[in-house]
Amino acid sequence: MKHIKFDARGLISDSDMVIFSLSELGCYIRLMSHYWLNGELPKNSISLAKLAGCSIGEFKEVWPKVSQHFDEGPEGFSCPGLDESRGKAKEMSDRMSNVAKARWSKRRGGS
């Protein structure tokens, strides 16, 4: 799924987000987007910096604050809030796909 539900109100009113610098916010959004598309973030700081689009030096400055929004696991970092949203979006996508398939099947005279 390529589309992510983006909570603009939460972004500008959540006390954790309001204190993000522009660099921290950019890092967070890029990592969150990568996580949405791929379902995982690596543990390696160099890889995370590349995904965030910044140098390792910049990444080391912003990561302490940004990392508070990701959970560290044995294989890498996750974002439980996005996991829940992705699950709901997948359910809706599957449901709509099944409705469309049923409609096309009826039009073609299928069972």
Side-chain angles (χ1 to χ4, degrees):
M1 288 177 293
K2 61 183 177 179
H3 298 285
I4 185 172
K5 186 176 179 181
F6 188 78
D7 179 13
R9 185 180 310 274
L11 188 68
I12 61 173
S13 63
D14 183 289
S15 60
D16 289 338
M17 297 294 163
V18 171
I19 61 172
F20 269 173
S21 69
L22 185 58
S23 296
E24 291 163 342
L25 182 60
C27 177
Y28 171 74
I29 290 174
R30 287 190 62 145
L31 291 177
M32 186 177 68
S33 298
H34 178 80
Y35 185 78
W36 178 263
L37 294 172
N38 299 292
E40 63 182 25
L41 289 174
K43 271 191 162 181
N44 180 297
S45 294
I46 294 171
S47 297
L48 287 169
K50 287 179 181 178
L51 293 174
C54 60
S55 71
I56 189 68
E58 292 170 318
F59 182 76
K60 286 182 177 181
E61 282 184 33
V62 301
W63 183 240
K65 215 183 275 183
V66 172
S67 67
Q68 295 173 14
H69 299 277
F70 296 94
D71 290 346
E72 187 173 2
E75 301 297 317
F77 292 93
S78 64
C79 187
L82 282 184
D83 288 336
E84 183 180 331
S85 294
R86 188 186 308 111
K88 289 178 182 177
K90 175 95 171 85
E91 286 176 20
M92 176 64 92
S93 176
D94 290 346
R95 195 172 333 131
M96 297 308 292
S97 177
N98 289 336
V99 167
K101 287 176 186 174
R103 185 179 327 121
W104 281 105
S105 179
K106 283 182 184 179
R107 287 185 179 179
R108 288 184 282 199
S111 49

